[in-house]
Amino acid sequence: SDVRLVAAHDLPGLIPADAIAVSYIVGEGSLAALLVDAEGQVRYRDLGRAPELAATVDIWRRINARDHRQGPSPAGIPGFRVWRLASGGYRLLPADVRAPRAAQEVADLAEVGRHLSQVLLQPLRQELQGRHRWIISPDGPLAQLPFETLPFGPDAQAAVVDAEIHYTQSLSVYALSRMLQRQYSTLKGRQDLLAMGNAVYELAGDVVGPVGLRRDLRGAGTPLRVAQQLRDLDGLWQNLPGTEAEVRAVARLFPDSASVYLGEQATEQQLQALNARGELKNYRYLLLSAHGYLSAEQPALSSIVLGLKARTPEADGYVTAAEWPGYDLRSELAVLSACDSGVGKVVSGEGVMGLPFAMFVAGNVNTILSLWPVDDKATAEFVTRLFEHLQAGQGAAQALAATKREFARHRRYNHPAYWAPFVLVGAG
């Protein structure tokens, strides 16, 4: 990629008139923010100390990732209790572990969200209120935080109610992605959709578990350091037959302009062949309804996991962040609709932001991925509705925000577990 760092004279006009850009800076126990508006004015805000920030973000993510109406769970997180520490942060501990000194158990888990809002949003309320779009550059553990769920404003509603929120690695990357977006707006002759789904992960004879909730892989295996170790994850990926209905439903929106690869065709070999023939760059939208692996230890190993049957040395099924820059894309949006939040531990900011950046280097403008494992049926409906908004002419960030607001009012899928994990990284 032709990387060019944004300088002060580049800032006026970089941010849309109805938007504000917020770059968070997480230090050792400290927190700050840089804000840039449409005029290019830069403001610095010292947000003070932020003790236990990573742990607090992880707790809020876990609270939102599980629909507690599906069954009883102590403190909302089975087998654990949430404690408010004397320092002001929060900690999640097994139920049989003694409480930290002077800590108080949290009964109302919404308190954690209110705390994060008080730390991250309230000091910026003058700049944020009235802004239609927030462009957030998270730092460290904040990349795992769905800001859309935080209460904000006079009615303390979820932030997504009033703001379109999307994410970027930095203002420099945002400027490059905006430039790419403008270039693509003049392209002619592209097809609308390339979609892959229902990849074959489990071979005949394997034990297949329930697939209603895509598998949460935390706690499995040892840290991976090199690409050859990715095969050690093979047994963790469950077939996702529900993704076929998702892909077909989206493809029906583009009846004369969609290419669909399902089952044994949803492979890395197929992706490589399309790229080699120069066809991959001819699609406006990519839908990869497949497992994803976001690596905390080695962000370059973060991968889209396609079919694992009949692999070759050149195509092992794991399309890694290190490999994506070898592809040639001209896509405005890639939707990774089954991306799991990682194996073994909470994923770092580099893990979440690294895969979208690798796809940006390949030529993709925006990436939507999920921060935790998602429900098959809800996701099929969510992704279909998202593409309906795109087909109607909405931009990526606008379409995602509209879909989230609809689901927040959904009769069945209004819990954040179903709509909050999907985040957009890119130009919006």
Side-chain angles (χ1 to χ4, degrees):
S1 180
D2 184 13
V3 176
R4 179 176 175 271
L5 298 182
V6 166
H9 60 79
D10 298 313
L11 293 178
L14 175 61
I15 307 302
D18 60 348
I20 187 80
V22 184
S23 296
Y24 286 98
I25 306 163
V26 179
E28 288 292 330
S30 65
L31 187 65
L34 283 169
L35 299 102
V36 181
D37 60 20
E39 288 72 39
Q41 184 176 357
V42 182
R43 298 179 180 88
Y44 174 82
R45 294 286 184 271
D46 184 348
L47 304 181
R49 296 186 68 253
E52 302 286 337
L53 181 62
T56 305
V57 167
D58 181 46
I59 291 167
W60 185 242
R61 188 180 65 84
R62 289 172 183 253
I63 290 169
N64 283 278
R66 186 175 187 275
D67 185 351
H68 312 308
R69 299 170 303 186
Q70 293 179 343
S73 54
I77 305 173
F80 288 85
R81 299 160 80 183
V82 178
W83 298 93
R84 185 192 319 111
L85 306 181
S87 64
Y90 292 78
R91 190 174 297 170
L92 182 70
L93 294 173
D96 56 355
V97 170
R98 197 172 184 178
R101 177 184 291 272
Q104 294 185 323
E105 185 173 2
V106 177
D108 177 15
L109 295 181
E111 175 187 324
V112 180
R114 292 193 294 270
H115 169 80
L116 286 169
S117 180
Q118 193 65 36
V119 169
L120 297 168
L121 301 182
Q122 293 305 322
L124 314 177
R125 61 186 178 275
Q126 280 189 313
E127 292 85 358
L128 293 176
Q129 282 178 342
R131 302 286 185 173
H132 183 62
R133 187 190 302 183
W134 302 354
I135 305 162
I136 294 177
S137 178
D139 188 21
L142 296 182
Q144 276 284 310
L145 176 63
F147 279 76
E148 293 90 330
T149 63
L150 297 181
F152 184 74
D155 299 325
Q157 299 184 92
V160 72
V161 172
D162 294 316
E164 293 174 12
I165 301 174
H166 66 94
Y167 303 85
T168 184
Q169 293 84 356
S170 69
L171 273 181
S172 293
V173 177
Y174 175 72
L176 289 168
S177 60
R178 284 285 305 275
M179 183 171 63
L180 206 60
Q181 192 175 49
R182 287 192 293 269
Q183 291 174 1
Y184 290 176
S185 67
T186 62
L187 289 179
K188 306 294 183 183
R190 283 181 300 172
Q191 284 190 269
D192 284 312
L193 178 71
L194 169 73
M196 288 188 173
N198 195 17
V200 179
Y201 299 111
E202 295 160 324
L203 305 181
D206 286 353
V207 177
V208 180
V211 297
L213 186 69
R214 291 163 181 167
R215 190 175 303 176
D216 188 345
L217 301 171
R218 277 186 297 275
T222 55
L224 304 186
R225 302 294 180 186
V226 295
Q228 288 78 1
Q229 289 179 291
L230 287 169
R231 287 179 178 248
D232 296 342
L233 304 178
D234 285 359
L236 297 174
W237 311 119
Q238 205 171 12
N239 285 340
L240 300 171
T243 61
E244 180 164 344
E246 175 184 316
V247 166
R248 290 190 184 279
V250 173
R252 282 195 292 271
L253 299 174
F254 308 99
D256 301 315
S257 189
S259 299
V260 173
Y261 299 91
L262 295 168
E264 294 187 2
Q265 290 186 313
T267 65
E268 185 179 7
Q269 295 97 310
Q270 185 69 64
L271 207 63
Q272 290 176 347
L274 290 166
N275 189 61
R277 296 196 298 267
E279 297 175 17
L280 200 55
K281 64 183 179 182
N282 294 328
Y283 294 95
R284 187 180 180 191
Y285 303 125
L286 306 179
L287 171 59
L288 301 176
S289 191
H291 281 295
Y293 165 53
L294 304 183
S295 173
E297 293 82 13
Q298 290 289 350
L301 297 184
S302 295
S303 313
I304 307 300
V305 189
L306 296 174
L308 302 180
K309 187 177 179 181
R311 296 183 292 188
T312 68
E314 297 78 24
D316 60 2
Y318 295 88
V319 190
T320 67
E323 293 171 326
W324 272 109
Y327 287 85
D328 188 10
L329 306 177
R330 298 288 187 277
S331 45
E332 296 171 22
L333 174 66
V335 178
L336 316 179
S337 73
C339 209
D340 288 335
S341 58
V343 177
K345 63 192 294 186
V346 174
V347 178
S348 66
E350 292 80 2
V352 175
M353 293 289 162
L355 191 56
F357 179 73
M359 297 188 75
F360 161 72
V361 174
N364 177 64
V365 175
N366 294 299
T367 301
I368 291 176
L369 71 166
S370 60
L371 297 178
W372 54 76
V374 289
D375 179 87
D376 274 11
K377 292 182 179 179
T379 299
E381 187 174 333
F382 186 95
V383 171
T384 303
R385 190 68 186 124
L386 169 72
F387 274 93
E388 288 174 349
H389 285 296
L390 291 168
Q391 187 192 42
Q394 294 184 1
Q398 184 183 13
L400 181 61
T403 307
K404 287 186 173 186
R405 290 166 186 158
E406 289 172 3
F407 267 63
R409 302 187 299 268
H410 197 287
R411 180 178 59 84
R412 182 176 179 184
Y413 299 130
N414 55 12
H415 192 278
Y418 304 110
W419 56 264
F422 298 102
V423 294
L424 186 151
V425 182

